[in-house]
Amino acid sequence: MFPPSCSVEKQETLTLDNFVTYIEIEGYLDSYEDVEPMLVRKTKPLFFGQHSRRFSWGLAGTCHEVYAHVFGPDDVWASKVIDVSGVEGHQTLISLLVNWSLCSVDRLGFDPSIRYVHGGDPHLEIDVHVVDANMGQLVKRTYYSKRCMVAAESFIGRRARYFAASADPNQLDTPAVLIKDVWMSSSSDSASDMCESLVLNALHAEFGESSEFSNSFALLAHSGPVFIGHGDTLVEDTTTSAFVGLTGNGPVHLHRRTLRPWVGNPISAATDQNQVVVAITDAMEALNAAYVKCNTVHGNISDQAIWLKEMAD
């Protein structure tokens, strides 16, 4: 199902980025429990590949019973049964479809802070709100990216993504920054992420410019919440604000973005075994130095945490 802006005459332009929802109705099955796993299985790769989505919708059911679904970063919520064999259920289903056709794009689950730009060289516009040192208030900076470097999956397919980005839409092939976009559980990850920039900046201060480890740790220029505009105000983007009345007692996820100068490609992009060996050796030596000198332990060593940077001999 696609948004109403995509008319029948424009079917050839429909792509993954503007796909609204997946509908799985199986008339030959008697049980909704047999249909729901099919919906989840088919929605996951769609949601994972849509970088401009905060959440996704879905419909699943049989010829008599239908359930509406909302897919979040790590959760799936289902509505009460819609009995389409009766007049009331029929009206409810039609009302839902009409609502999807007429409501604003943010209610469809699209992220207003990440936008696809078509025409010319297709790319993403990504907003990052930072505190201006001179003004002492939040200002919006927009970056431009046509490459998602790494995307880490979760249950539904949305955990962390890294974008190679430029401050100039005419310099898409020359990234200047690396943007990390992540939905994290407030109960487990938020405290460590909020101080990530402080830790990395402290490591830079400890090792100094002349140290052999001066280039081993990325210097974060910004780490903070993603803000969504509501009228004249900005609201932090969380699952609580996105799914009002749905989260219940479940975990709250926070939408955050970090910004750091461009250093290079992830280790998964290494072209030969020697690069991998050198990169891992350098990373282990730097992490050991961070522990010995700064009592700092990295809690997520993976191919997504080690990046390659060409150094002069």
Side-chain angles (χ1 to χ4, degrees), residues 55 69 76 86 88 116 134 150 158 175 185 208 213 228 282 284:
F55 58 90
H69 293 71
V76 181
E88 183 178 352
Y116 278 96
N134 297 322
V150 179
R158 183 60 53 78
S185 171
F213 302 115
I228 302 296
D282 289 347
M284 294 304 102

Side-chain angles (χ1 to χ4, degrees), residues 4-19:
S5 59
C6 299
S7 65
V8 174
E9 290 75 22
K10 296 182 179 180
Q11 289 296 312
E12 71 278 5
T13 67
L14 298 178
T15 57
L16 174 65
D17 56 87
N18 56 19
F19 196 96

Side-chain angles (χ1 to χ4, degrees), residues 137-153:
Q137 62 185 26
L138 282 174
V139 295
K140 182 178 72 174
R141 296 177 182 171
T142 301
Y143 295 87
Y144 309 89
S145 173
K146 67 174 185 179
R147 184 160 51 129
C148 180
M149 303 291 296
V150 179
E153 292 192 53

Side-chain angles (χ1 to χ4, degrees), residues 227-235:
F227 289 93
I228 302 296
H230 288 272
D232 296 329
T233 62
L234 291 175
V235 177

Side-chain angles (χ1 to χ4, degrees), residues 53-306:
R53 293 300 287 269
R54 300 162 68 210
F55 58 90
S56 186
W57 289 92
L59 278 179
T62 65
C63 58
H64 300 294
E65 297 181 345
V66 176
Y67 294 79
H69 293 71
V70 176
F71 296 85
D74 275 309
D75 303 279
V76 181
W77 295 278
S79 70
K80 296 179 180 180
V81 61
I82 303 173
D83 185 357
V84 294
S85 63
V87 174
E88 183 178 352
H90 230 133
Q91 292 176 339
T92 300
L93 178 60
I94 292 174
S95 297
L96 175 62
L97 297 177
V98 170
N99 183 275
W100 280 347
S101 300
L102 300 178
C103 71
S104 59
V105 292
D106 60 320
R107 290 184 61 187
L108 289 173
F110 288 95
D111 187 343
S113 67
I114 299 185
R115 302 167 297 277
Y116 278 96
V117 177
H118 299 280
D121 198 355
H123 61 277
L124 292 167
E125 292 181 341
I126 305 175
D127 295 335
V128 180
H129 285 87
V130 302
V131 177
D132 185 274
N134 297 322
M135 302 172 60
Q137 62 185 26
L138 282 174
V139 295
K140 182 178 72 174
R141 296 177 182 171
T142 301
Y143 295 87
Y144 309 89
S145 173
K146 67 174 185 179
R147 184 160 51 129
C148 180
M149 303 291 296
V150 179
E153 292 192 53
S154 64
F155 171 57
I156 298 302
R158 183 60 53 78
R159 181 63 175 89
R161 296 162 296 166
Y162 293 83
F163 299 98
S166 169
D168 185 347
N170 297 314
Q171 299 291 328
L172 292 173
D173 293 318
T174 309
V177 297
L178 182 71
I179 297 175
K180 175 185 176 183
D181 184 280
V182 61
W183 284 88
M184 61 178 57
S185 171
S186 61
S187 61
S188 60
D189 301 328
S190 60
S192 61
D193 181 79
M194 289 177 183
C195 69
E196 182 179 1
S197 59
L198 297 177
V199 171
L200 288 174
N201 292 346
L203 290 173
H204 276 271
E206 171 65 31
F207 294 122
E209 292 296 330
S210 60
S211 167
E212 63 177 307
F213 302 115
S214 59
N215 291 303
S216 297
F217 301 98
L219 182 65
L220 287 191
H222 166 76
S223 178
V226 172
F227 289 93
I228 302 296
H230 288 272
D232 296 329
T233 62
L234 291 175
V235 177
E236 289 190 24
D237 195 18
T238 68
T239 49
T240 301
S241 62
F243 314 126
V244 178
L246 289 180
T247 54
N249 296 322
V252 175
H253 285 78
L254 312 177
H255 194 185
R256 299 184 64 82
R257 287 194 185 125
T258 60
L259 190 70
R260 70 190 192 202
W262 175 254
V263 292
N265 294 310
I267 193 172
S268 57
T271 56
D272 59 59
Q273 293 182 347
N274 289 334
Q275 280 188 320
V276 175
V277 172
V278 171
I280 292 178
T281 300
D282 289 347
M284 294 304 102
E285 291 177 351
L287 290 169
N288 180 67
Y291 174 73
V292 172
K293 293 188 176 183
C294 303
N295 197 32
T296 297
V297 176
H298 195 296
N300 183 29
I301 301 300
S302 68
D303 59 349
Q304 300 172 38
I306 301 176

